Amino acid sequence: MKILKIVTFLLFPILALNAQSEDSFKFEKGFKVGLFLGESSGLSFERTVSEHNSIELSFGINELFIDDNQLEKYSSSFLYYYYGQIYSSSLNWIHKKNFGSNSTLFFRSIIGLQTKLITDVRYQINVDAICLPDGVWIINDPVTKTDLDFGVNYFLGLGNNLSDKVSVTLDMGAYTEISNHFLWTKPQFKLGLSYRL
């Protein structure tokens, strides 16, 4: 949460820059390539389909900055749950609206589908949580596998067109898993920089 406050504090002066520019940015169908940092962090590819709407495909690595062991909170108290890295991909629909006809500042809402590939997942019995009779032993070998989770992500954000090619965005929202037995929701944020080709 502290990181989120710092990012918000640093980004809003940039968003305010040129918010009331005399030049209005005309709609042009185009393709944007971007970088984003947060939860997750990675690359995005955005295709504009109308004046206010676009489709985005993104690829990221989760938990570069935040390691809150969200999955461990939902595992059984009789299991240890560890994992290596989480890789994600998202397909998002973005709706964008400028604040006034001459403003470079804009608001956007995002909803999309996300898959997460969780590597080196290890489940192991917590022997200390089980009362065993004397003379009974448990072979405590971990089970290692790769998990694939599926869910929905949704964001609300602000952005600023720094030029007709470059824009910055700050999005805050959440990811809700819908395919596995955890069914958890996790807050997310993204600080992005994109370039229109």
Side-chain angles (χ1 to χ4, degrees):
M1 195 55 99
K2 189 174 182 181
I3 291 173
L4 183 60
K5 290 179 183 178
I6 292 170
V7 169
T8 304
F9 177 76
L10 293 174
L11 183 66
F12 274 102
I14 295 172
L15 292 174
L17 184 67
N18 294 327
Q20 294 297 325
S21 171
E22 294 179 7
D23 299 326
S24 61
F25 291 89
K26 296 180 180 178
F27 164 69
E28 293 181 24
K29 282 191 176 180
F31 188 74
K32 290 182 179 179
V33 177
L35 295 171
F36 57 93
L37 298 174
E39 184 58 36
S40 63
S41 302
L43 292 170
S44 65
F45 305 93
E46 183 180 338
R47 173 70 176 169
T48 306
V49 295
S50 71
E51 184 176 0
H52 299 293
N53 299 295
S54 58
I55 297 173
E56 178 189 60
L57 178 64
S58 65
F59 301 95
I61 299 175
N62 294 65
E63 299 186 359
L64 283 181
F65 302 111
I66 301 173
D67 185 10
D68 60 4
N69 296 322
Q70 184 77 13
L71 298 177
E72 291 182 24
K73 295 177 185 178
Y74 295 90
S75 63
S76 166
S77 60
F78 293 98
L79 295 174
Y80 289 123
Y81 183 90
Y82 304 98
Y83 55 92
Q85 187 57 260
I86 302 177
Y87 301 96
S88 63
S89 64
S90 300
L91 181 62
N92 300 317
W93 181 264
I94 301 173
H95 181 77
K96 179 176 122 178
K97 188 84 174 185
N98 280 20
F99 289 108
S101 59
N102 294 325
S103 176
T104 62
L105 190 65
F106 59 88
F107 165 83
R108 67 188 203 156
S109 58
I110 302 169
I111 188 164
L113 301 174
Q114 186 175 80
T115 58
K116 292 189 175 189
L117 181 70
I118 307 172
T119 63
D120 299 325
V121 176
R122 288 176 288 145
Y123 299 93
Q124 191 169 12
I125 296 173
N126 182 358
V127 179
D128 297 332
I130 302 173
C131 295
L132 297 173
D134 292 336
V136 175
W137 296 83
I138 292 179
I139 299 174
N140 197 18
D141 290 334
V143 176
T144 303
K145 64 175 190 170
T146 299
D147 277 350
L148 183 64
D149 293 338
F150 180 73
V152 176
N153 56 26
Y154 35 92
F155 295 93
L156 293 177
L158 291 175
N160 190 21
N161 293 312
L162 300 179
S163 71
D164 61 343
K165 297 277 190 184
V166 179
S167 60
V168 293
T169 55
L170 175 63
D171 302 308
M172 295 186 208
Y175 165 81
T176 300
E177 182 188 89
I178 59 175
S179 68
N180 215 327
H181 59 280
F182 292 116
L183 297 175
W184 48 265
T185 295
K186 179 178 181 181
Q188 293 191 343
F189 75 93
K190 294 194 300 186
L191 174 62
L193 177 69
S194 63
Y195 181 80
R196 185 168 59 82
L197 301 176

